[in-house]
Amino acid sequence: MSINTVSTTSFPGQRPGTSGLRKKVSVFQQPHYLENFVQSVFDTLGDCAGKTLVVGGDGRFHNREAVQTILRMAAAHGFARVLVGQGGILSTPAVSCVIRKHGALGGIVLSASHNPGGPDGDFGIKYNIENGGPAPESVTETIYQHTESITQYRISDAADIDLQRPGAARIEAMDVEVIDPVADYAELMQQLFDFDAIRQLIAGGFRLCFDGMHAVSGPYAKAILEDQLGAPAGSVINAVPLEDFGGHHPDPNPVNAAQLIEIMAADNAPDFGAASDGDGDRNMILGRKFDVTPSDSLAVLAAHATLAPGYRAGLKGIARSMPTSQAADRVARALGIPAFETPTGWKFFGNLLDAGKATLCGEESYGTGSDHIREKDGVWAVLFWLNLLAATGKSVEQLVSEHWARFGRNYYSRHDYEGVDAHAANELMASLRIKLAAMAGQDLGHYVVDFADDFEYKDPVDGSVSKQQGVRIVMTNGSRIVFRLSGTGTEGATLRVYLERYEADPAFHHLPTQQALGPLILIAEQVAGIADWTGRAHPTVTT
Ligand code: VG1
Ligand code: CO
């Protein structure tokens, strides 16, 4: 074994987006492409002597090759130890959990999350810091600067290690431990939730269906829901991670989890349905013939949090990303705790969680989490819901309907225009920004504009400022339209339009969502000229 220094030249565009660097698999397969990025991460970290690194991914195509490369480079960089998931597998929340539990310096997650996989699909890599959370912008920016000027990287010529069996190995002077991907995570879940109550609920005939979408959360859900909580075999469907996710988008929303939606719409549907995404950090919650919007899910969990043992002491605060509906803010107000509004992306919650300012966090994009780790967490959200259902004896629909009756309903939908021309998308946003200043006070038919701006966030902990985080048009009654461009796509641009209408009157709490949002949808089209700029009369995906 020896360590080699390899000459390289920089690749353009290795700037991490909302959640790491995501590109087509073919881009990552270019010689030196992954190596350049990994060396830039290590150069940003500096001396790693004596330190531990965690490595794992969602099992998508190219995952295992990338793990072997990273292990050889970590050895060359002088890490003392690497913890790697068996088979190269670790969900995003499990990486966060393992980093924190084992006092690692950080971790590398190989995933493009909900983006499709396979040889023609996407691949991704992100770095998580010592607190277990995604690297903040200051770190990702430094990594990017390194990628721009990189001239060499260092790598051991050691042979591949066997990832298939738990155990110890060595590369150069570095110890490698292949760990069970589920064990540490499952142990943490047992501390947070009332497993006995959930077990009793299931033993009493309560039925559930969890869709692993052939992505990483299958093994976690099987071990916890079936083996530990007694759900009958087969309660977890599509449970085996596949390199191409069975050809589907591992994106837990009603459009992509069509099989689960069908199961939950049947007359003999289970009581509870859920799905998670490629890397296991997202969740979709369903009742029988009833789906819960992620924004409502956050609000319901917050309102009932003290029913779960891990949250019995109460919440310190609730944080949500700006486009997420304001339902959780109403709960925070009722509980007398602070509500925070951050830019899109979990990295913005890290400081609030570390500082003890927030306990629960959520995003409209099927992401929910808490201070138990520093990532959003799909299986955690499922267990939280099961704990509430067991503790209250109510159905999913009942819990949500009662929530609306108490707090009012925030109708919510996101319209995505995927793969549009990037130049046109940027022009659309630019032309919107020009209009903002003149919008306050404008009468838009059903609505009057209270204010319109481009969301800017000043982190209350470290004072860092993030600009241009989404154009929002806020009406005098709290209804909103938000426009932003995705930072996770790999083809052209994706325009996201977020629509929210607040309705206090229970007589209007059961309208079809798109109908309830009809007037706002029209205003969004008129104000932004979506069809003119993108050539699209309709969104690609509506959730
Ligand atoms: C999307 C979501 C955002 C989420 C991010 C990463 O980002 O909107 O809320 O944090 O994906 O989630 P964007 O920039 O495409 O809107 V995941 O599960 O893909 O790591
Ligand atoms: Co994800």
Side-chain angles (χ1 to χ4, degrees), residues 470-491:
V471 164
R472 53 181 179 173
I473 301 171
V474 183
M475 313 302 174
T476 46
N477 66 356
S479 296
R480 300 188 302 167
I481 305 170
V482 176
F483 300 87
R484 64 177 278 282
L485 299 183
S486 157
T488 57
T490 59
E491 260 175 46

Side-chain angles (χ1 to χ4, degrees), residues 22 113-114 277-282 376:
R22 294 186 191 178
S113 187
H114 60 294
D277 71 331
D279 59 334
D281 56 357
R282 296 189 181 200
K376 56 189 187 268

Side-chain angles (χ1 to χ4, degrees), residues 101 113 142 189 330 360 424 458 472:
K101 181 167 174 178
S113 187
T142 310
M189 293 304 114
R330 296 178 181 276
L360 290 192
K458 185 171 183 206
R472 53 181 179 173

Side-chain angles (χ1 to χ4, degrees), residues 214-505:
H214 287 306
V216 81
S217 61
Y220 295 84
K222 253 191 132 32
I224 297 173
L225 299 176
E226 293 188 5
D227 301 346
Q228 299 183 7
L229 293 170
S235 299
V236 180
I237 60 171
N238 302 321
V240 179
L242 298 177
E243 286 196 333
D244 66 349
F245 308 119
H248 298 293
H249 281 228
D251 195 356
N253 61 44
V255 178
N256 289 313
Q259 184 190 353
L260 177 67
I261 294 288
E262 203 182 311
I263 291 171
M264 295 307 295
D267 284 336
N268 63 345
D271 302 280
F272 179 81
S276 187
D277 71 331
D279 59 334
D281 56 357
R282 296 189 181 200
N283 73 92
M284 175 173 66
I285 301 295
L286 305 166
R288 188 179 284 158
K289 299 186 182 183
F290 186 85
D291 50 307
V292 185
T293 67
S295 300
D296 279 345
S297 176
L298 173 66
V300 172
L301 294 183
H304 298 276
T306 52
L307 294 175
Y311 304 91
R312 209 141 267 164
L315 307 177
K316 295 175 182 136
I318 308 170
R320 62 165 174 86
S321 66
M322 183 273 282
T324 303
S325 99
Q326 300 156 96
D329 302 12
R330 296 178 181 276
V331 178
R333 219 171 298 142
L335 293 173
I337 56 174
F340 298 91
E341 186 174 44
T342 61
T344 293
W346 211 262
K347 59 183 173 236
F348 293 102
F349 294 133
N351 279 346
L352 297 173
L353 294 167
D354 283 351
K357 288 179 178 294
T359 307
L360 290 192
C361 308
E363 291 192 279
E364 49 64 42
S365 53
Y366 298 84
T368 332
S370 87
D371 59 358
H372 69 293
I373 53 169
R374 295 293 179 273
E375 287 278 6
K376 56 189 187 268
D377 190 344
V379 170
W380 166 90
V382 168
L383 292 168
F384 209 146
W385 267 94
L386 290 173
N387 196 142
L388 298 194
L389 296 170
T392 60
K394 294 179 178 166
S395 71
V396 173
E397 181 168 2
Q398 234 178 322
L399 275 178
V400 176
S401 301
E402 287 176 11
H403 187 90
W404 293 338
R406 176 169 172 211
F407 294 97
R409 177 170 181 185
N410 292 69
Y411 280 103
Y412 191 83
S413 180
R414 188 176 99 184
H415 291 191
D416 292 333
Y417 297 78
E418 294 177 335
V420 301
D421 179 70
H423 180 70
N426 284 316
E427 292 286 304
L428 180 153
M429 292 300 291
S431 77
L432 261 177
R433 288 193 181 102
I434 293 169
K435 292 183 193 159
L436 291 175
M439 287 199 78
Q442 257 186 48
D443 190 334
L444 297 172
H446 285 67
Y447 297 97
V448 175
V449 178
D450 180 10
F451 70 93
D453 68 359
D454 196 348
F455 182 59
E456 186 175 309
Y457 179 64
K458 185 171 183 206
D459 186 300
V461 179
D462 66 16
S464 59
V465 174
S466 304
K467 297 186 175 172
Q468 297 210 327
Q469 296 296 322
V471 164
R472 53 181 179 173
I473 301 171
V474 183
M475 313 302 174
T476 46
N477 66 356
S479 296
R480 300 188 302 167
I481 305 170
V482 176
F483 300 87
R484 64 177 278 282
L485 299 183
S486 157
T488 57
T490 59
E491 260 175 46
T494 292
L495 170 70
R496 302 201 195 285
V497 183
Y498 308 82
L499 304 141
E500 176 180 4
R501 162 184 162 191
Y502 179 66
E503 179 57 68
D505 185 350

